[in-house]
Amino acid sequence: MAKTSKIAKNEQRKRIVALYAERRAELKRIIAAPTTPVADREAAQLKLQKLPRDASPIRVRNRDAADGRPRGYLRKAGISRVRFRTMAHRGELPGITKSSW
């Protein structure tokens, strides 16, 4: 089980990312466009740098949906490898069976 403060901070980051997503996308579009004048591009870069750090989606951490474990995360299932294994053994994941050969 992860610390509840870490889980809460990650949820706060998700909210901030959603809040600034449209603004970031617009600034990135201006910066990436080859027809944008140099002065406008520099102004857009400055505005992008002025946004909060947590507005960047790269700072959001993938965590286990059940207990918040940050490592060993399986994207397809949305849970950690440890929980995936126990749930698969119990038959709680449809279509997942233990293989042996």
Side-chain angles (χ1 to χ4, degrees), residues 2-4 8 10 12 16 19 21 26-27 35 39 46 50 56 59-60 65 69 73 75 79 85 93 101:
K3 288 170 57 172
T4 53
N10 201 46
Q12 182 183 1
I16 293 172
L19 184 68
E26 180 59 34
L27 290 172
T35 58
L46 277 173
K50 295 283 184 192
S56 175
R59 290 177 65 97
V60 176
R69 181 179 164 85
Y73 178 80
R75 287 177 187 231
I79 53 178
R85 187 168 190 269
L93 299 173
W101 61 93

Side-chain angles (χ1 to χ4, degrees), residues 14-30:
K14 286 180 186 177
R15 284 193 299 275
I16 293 172
V17 165
L19 184 68
Y20 287 97
E22 194 173 319
R23 202 173 311 173
R24 282 181 59 84
E26 180 59 34
L27 290 172
K28 284 187 168 271
R29 229 178 284 123
I30 292 169

Side-chain angles (χ1 to χ4, degrees), residues 4-5 15 19 23 25 27 32 39 43 48 74 77 80 84 86 88 92:
T4 53
S5 61
R15 284 193 299 275
L19 184 68
R23 202 173 311 173
L27 290 172
L48 188 64
L74 302 174
S80 68
F84 182 85
T86 58
E92 296 173 2

Side-chain angles (χ1 to χ4, degrees), residues 30-31 36-48:
I30 292 169
I31 293 167
T36 306
V38 176
D40 292 346
R41 181 175 287 124
E42 288 175 355
Q45 286 174 342
L46 277 173
K47 285 181 184 176
L48 188 64

Side-chain angles (χ1 to χ4, degrees), residues 62-75:
N62 287 331
R63 290 184 173 271
D64 186 330
D67 66 357
R69 181 179 164 85
R71 305 232 176 156
Y73 178 80
L74 302 174
R75 287 177 187 231

